[in-house]
Amino acid sequence: MIMDIQHYLQDKRQFINDYLPSFLAEKSIPGLLKDSMLYSLQAGGKRLRPILTLAVLDAFGKRAEVGLEAACALEMVHTYSLIHDDLPCMDDDDYRRGKPTNHKAFGEAIAILAGDALLTFSFQVIAGSHVYSPEQKVSLLSILSEASGAEGMVAGQAVDMESENQELTLEELQSIHERKTGRLLEASVLFGAVLADADTEDFARLKAFSRHLGIAFQIQDDILDVTGDSELLGKQAGSDENNFKSTYPKLLTLDGAKAELAHHIKLAKENLREAKVHPVILEGITDYIVSRNH
């Protein structure tokens, strides 16, 4: 099953990588700004968020291609967040995915504008779709704006910065990461549910699945920051410790963090199996999150 999932992830990743730049190709965006947007958009990465949208559609027996515009919009928001996270005024990182960060390549001003442009362009992609119904567009835009905005990802980043050099409780740390990382992963799953016309019960089960998946993803990120290889990670290992951030291994020890990871993976799978979907691919992606090394 691992090989099947690896093939699935590789196939869908290539599908998204091939399609992503096409949204910008014919747009009248100033040259340097477009170059900066494409630089980060084409920098690679796992593409986990858009793949989750396509995988949920597969799990419902729907055509995954239906979710491509929404999936790419999610990746634009994720890419914007990485550009801004790397800025000197935030995490001050020099490398991302093995390449100089956007502000190192284009300067801070263009990097900020590229992030702004990718965020707003994501909404344009969904609103301008000829595939989605008006009702689906409203649902998608509502989910995305809530997940990425002042109550979601941006809130998580703000509280994360405020919490540097502080000792957080486990509940406080989880609250930060549920917003900073988890909400966009949740949106990825819910996008697939919306486009598959999931009923209320399945929508709730998939939301619970995605919540635990998001927490598990962050715990594994924290573990890799301690145990991972900088070259594989594409950024400097140990950066959380260097920035005096609270992490799951710091609060729970490394073994405790691994136990917490296993707990949330178990809850994610339990909720997934209660939904009326074919769970194999989504379970495989869940296992991948635990086993990944970057």
Side-chain angles (χ1 to χ4, degrees):
M1 187 60 209
I2 291 176
M3 289 303 297
D4 289 342
I5 283 300
Q6 292 293 345
H7 179 76
Y8 182 89
L9 292 171
Q10 182 178 351
D11 180 63
K12 289 294 187 282
R13 188 182 300 121
Q14 190 60 52
F15 186 39
I16 291 157
N17 286 343
D18 289 344
Y19 201 70
L20 258 176
S22 67
F23 289 101
L24 304 181
E26 302 301 322
K27 300 299 181 183
S28 56
I29 302 170
L32 191 60
L33 177 61
K34 181 185 282 191
D35 290 345
S36 179
M37 293 167 72
L38 287 170
Y39 177 81
S40 291
L41 206 57
Q42 295 179 291
K46 295 176 284 295
R47 308 301 193 195
L48 182 61
R49 290 152 190 83
I51 289 173
L52 275 169
T53 297
L54 305 185
V56 172
L57 283 162
D58 277 335
F60 277 102
K62 307 289 186 179
R63 288 175 54 249
E65 292 79 4
V66 170
L68 193 54
E69 290 173 309
C72 287
L74 279 163
E75 190 64 12
M76 290 175 191
V77 173
H78 177 55
T79 302
Y80 126 77
S81 75
L82 299 181
I83 294 172
H84 282 198
D85 279 358
D86 291 335
L87 290 168
C89 61
M90 299 230 188
D91 290 347
D92 194 16
D93 282 319
D94 292 342
Y95 290 94
R96 168 72 65 177
R97 294 168 176 167
K99 298 172 61 177
T101 47
N102 198 293
H103 68 273
K104 285 293 181 181
F106 292 91
E108 288 182 48
I110 289 295
I112 291 168
L113 292 172
D116 293 343
L118 285 168
L119 172 62
T120 49
F121 196 74
S122 69
F123 291 88
Q124 183 178 336
V125 168
I126 293 172
S129 172
H130 298 295
V131 177
Y132 308 143
S133 69
E135 292 78 15
Q136 287 175 328
K137 289 180 183 180
V138 169
S139 293
L140 294 172
L141 291 170
S142 177
I143 290 168
L144 184 58
S145 58
E146 187 175 333
S148 61
E151 294 180 298
M153 185 174 64
V154 172
Q157 176 69 2
V159 178
D160 189 33
M161 292 174 63
E162 291 170 8
S163 301
E164 289 181 9
N165 301 307
Q166 295 183 27
E167 290 290 334
L168 300 180
T169 66
L170 181 61
E171 291 74 18
E172 289 169 336
L173 180 64
Q174 185 166 300
S175 176
I176 288 172
H177 290 311
E178 280 184 342
R179 288 177 286 180
K180 184 179 177 181
T181 303
R183 292 298 298 276
L184 205 59
L185 279 169
E186 178 184 295
S188 306
V189 172
L190 297 184
F191 267 27
V194 167
L195 297 176
D197 296 319
D199 62 30
T200 303
E201 183 177 314
D202 281 342
F203 194 88
R205 291 299 183 194
L206 287 171
K207 186 171 185 176
F209 158 73
S210 63
R211 176 179 176 271
H212 292 292
L213 187 70
I215 296 170
F217 184 90
Q218 184 60 51
I219 296 173
Q220 180 66 357
D221 256 12
D222 284 0
I223 291 171
L224 289 174
D225 193 70
V226 175
T227 65
D229 180 270
S230 294
E231 187 171 342
L232 287 173
L233 292 172
K235 60 181 181 178
Q236 185 63 45
S239 61
D240 288 337
E241 182 69 25
N242 293 337
N243 289 328
F244 306 104
K245 290 187 175 183
S246 291
T247 65
Y248 285 92
K250 189 174 181 180
L251 288 180
L252 302 174
T253 74
L254 188 58
D255 286 341
K258 290 178 179 179
E260 189 74 4
L261 173 64
H263 171 68
H264 284 287
I265 290 294
K266 177 176 179 289
L267 293 175
K269 288 185 175 182
E270 286 176 357
N271 279 282
L272 178 61
R273 288 166 185 163
E274 291 181 12
K276 298 184 292 294
V277 298
H278 187 58
V280 174
I281 291 173
L282 289 170
E283 283 189 346
I285 292 174
T286 304
D287 289 334
Y288 162 78
I289 284 176
V290 181
S291 62
R292 66 192 171 93
N293 58 8
H294 65 286

